[in-house]
């Protein structure tokens, strides 16, 4: 099965047509096809989370038809990533991750669960299980090294750095982000996926620099990350860079500049129906208005 076949499936007008398409092509459905569908859902996790969930559930439909447990594992994996990183429901995501891991582990597959830990550890951190997340990340890193999976290893280590940020260990986090930035550069930034991850590492580095009071360096890093994410068309990632840059301006007392960026980010989140993210921006804007004594706006 090739990418065109996936496009044909997803282009079907509704669930009934998708099921008929699957019935017509069931003999051709294999694991690479299902894994590619999972990757498509993951790619849409931030920009179109509801669409991503539909794809995850479509994989479950495929699993019902094929009877292959690994296909169900990919469905649960995709749904876990979208539920956590797209919708912020970390407790539910952990249940899905654990069900998926159990399926792959039951077949003697250590690598797939290790790759899942790249994003699962962030869910652990968000339900106040940070120490467990760090231990799980270390174990997963060993498996990824053994299998030569350097790109997911780099992303895992970047997520570990984010956990150190959450724990207030900003210097340690900064060192790890800089290490991951160099790792992505060593892979070559010609591939959009790698360049996007590089920009994410730069953005995270900007956050650490801000917490360490190195504001000029933080602003430069944010601007670099924004330029790359915008050029790659990673709209939501670019918006998140803008949001952090606005927070940096608040810390520096540059409230009007912060409000300009917050208004842009709030509009972007609202347009994509990301209400939780838009509400958080409202709180940031209230902080600016309080500082400017614009109590009517608050």
């Amino acid at each position: 099965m090739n990418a065109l076949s996936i496009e044909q499936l997803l282009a079907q007008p509704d669930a009934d047509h998708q099921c008929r398409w699957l019935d017509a092509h069931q003999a051709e459905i294999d694991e690479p096809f299902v894994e590619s569908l999972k990757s498509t859902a993951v790619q849409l996790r931030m920009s179109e989370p509801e669409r991503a969930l539909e794809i995850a559930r479509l994989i479950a439909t495929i699993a019902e038809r094929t009877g292959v447990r690994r296909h169900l594992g990919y469905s649960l994996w995709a749904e876990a990533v979208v539920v956590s990183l797209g919708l912020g429901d970390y407790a539910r995501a952990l249940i899905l991750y654990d069900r998926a891991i159990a399926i792959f582990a039951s077949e003697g597959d250590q690598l797939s669960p290790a790759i899942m830990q790249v994003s699962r550890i962030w869910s652990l951190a968000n339900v106040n299980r940070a120490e467990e997340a760090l231990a799980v990340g270390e174990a997963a890193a060993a498996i990824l090294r053994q299998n030569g999976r350097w790109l997911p290893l780099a992303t895992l280590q970047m997520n570990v750095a984010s956990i150190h940020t959450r724990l207030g260990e900003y210097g340690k986090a900064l060192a790890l982000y800089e290490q991951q930035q160099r790792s992505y550069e060593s892979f070559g930034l010609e591939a959009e996926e790698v360049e996007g991850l590089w920009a994410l590492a730069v953005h995270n580095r900007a956050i650490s620099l801000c917490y360490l009071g190195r504001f000029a360096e933080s602003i430069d890093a944010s601007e670099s990350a924004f330029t790359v994410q915008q050029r790659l068309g990673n709209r939501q990632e670019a918006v998140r860079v803008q949001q952090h840059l606005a927070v940096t301006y608040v810390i520096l007392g540059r409230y009007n500049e912060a409000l300009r960026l917050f208004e842009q980010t709030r509009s972007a989140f609202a347009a994509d129906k990301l209400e939780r993210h838009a509400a958080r921006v409202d709180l940031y804007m209230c902080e600016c208005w309080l500082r400017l004594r614009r109590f009517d706006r608050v």
Side-chain angles (χ1 to χ4, degrees):
M1 304 292 285
N2 55 35
L4 179 62
S5 298
I6 291 173
E7 291 172 1
Q8 289 174 352
L9 171 59
L10 297 181
Q12 300 302 309
D14 53 40
D16 288 340
H17 282 82
Q18 286 177 336
C19 288
R20 286 198 286 271
W21 191 97
L22 290 172
D23 290 337
H25 295 84
Q26 184 164 337
E28 303 169 73
I29 294 174
D30 57 11
E31 182 160 325
F33 175 75
V34 174
E35 188 172 10
S36 293
L37 272 176
K38 184 268 294 181
S39 297
T40 299
V42 170
Q43 288 168 4
L44 295 172
R45 68 193 183 280
M46 305 295 283
S47 59
E48 299 181 65
E50 295 302 325
R51 174 66 166 154
L53 283 178
E54 289 175 3
I55 296 172
R57 290 161 186 161
L58 179 58
I59 301 172
T61 299
I62 291 173
E64 291 174 1
R65 282 168 159 69
T66 63
V68 177
R69 279 179 55 76
R70 287 179 67 89
H71 293 173
L72 176 59
Y74 282 116
S75 170
L76 294 166
W77 184 350
E79 188 174 357
V81 173
V82 177
V83 166
S84 60
L85 302 183
L87 301 177
D89 190 344
Y90 302 108
R92 179 183 163 206
L94 285 170
I95 295 171
L96 295 166
Y97 276 124
D98 291 345
R99 288 178 60 197
I101 286 171
I103 288 173
F104 289 104
S106 70
E107 298 189 354
D109 181 351
Q110 287 186 312
L111 180 58
S112 295
I115 295 173
M116 262 183 266
Q117 299 294 0
V118 173
S119 53
R120 180 178 177 271
I121 62 171
W122 189 240
S123 290
L124 286 171
N126 275 279
V127 295
N128 298 317
R129 293 161 63 183
E131 295 302 326
E132 179 185 348
L134 293 175
V136 167
E138 185 175 349
I143 295 171
L144 294 173
R145 285 192 193 95
Q146 290 168 7
N147 287 272
R149 298 301 296 269
W150 306 116
L151 187 56
L153 175 62
T155 304
L156 172 69
Q157 291 173 332
M158 183 164 63
N159 289 343
V160 167
S162 296
I163 294 172
H164 285 299
T165 297
R166 181 176 287 268
L167 294 172
E169 299 168 351
Y170 306 127
K172 184 179 291 187
L174 177 61
L176 287 171
Y177 288 136
E178 290 175 341
Q179 177 185 332
Q180 296 326 303
Q181 185 178 333
R182 291 191 296 270
S183 294
Y184 291 130
E185 289 166 357
S186 73
F187 298 135
L189 299 180
E190 294 80 11
E192 286 190 4
E193 179 188 8
V194 176
E195 192 175 16
L197 289 168
W198 175 88
L200 183 58
V202 174
H203 174 210
N204 286 328
R205 176 171 153 263
I207 294 172
S208 292
L209 288 166
C210 179
Y211 285 138
L212 291 168
R214 295 162 60 178
F215 300 116
E217 293 172 82
S218 177
I219 291 170
D220 286 344
S222 290
E223 290 174 346
S224 295
F226 176 77
T227 298
V228 171
Q229 297 289 23
Q230 189 177 49
R231 175 169 53 76
L232 293 176
N234 296 335
R235 181 168 173 268
Q236 284 301 326
E237 294 296 346
V239 170
R240 283 169 173 76
V241 176
Q242 280 189 308
Q243 178 177 287
H244 169 70
L245 182 56
V247 171
T248 305
Y249 286 155
V250 172
I251 295 171
L252 292 171
R254 295 160 61 174
Y255 304 123
N256 288 319
E257 290 174 271
L259 282 168
R260 177 177 57 81
L261 288 179
F262 282 139
E263 287 169 358
Q264 293 175 14
T265 59
R266 192 196 185 289
S267 295
F269 287 138
D272 290 334
K273 297 184 170 65
L274 297 175
E275 296 178 0
R276 179 170 57 90
H277 299 288
R280 184 180 296 118
V281 176
D282 282 338
L283 294 176
Y284 288 135
M285 294 175 76
C286 284
E287 177 68 19
C288 290
W289 288 324
L290 282 171
R291 302 285 182 87
L292 293 169
R293 303 185 64 79
R294 293 168 61 182
F295 304 124
D296 56 326
R297 296 303 302 272
V298 176

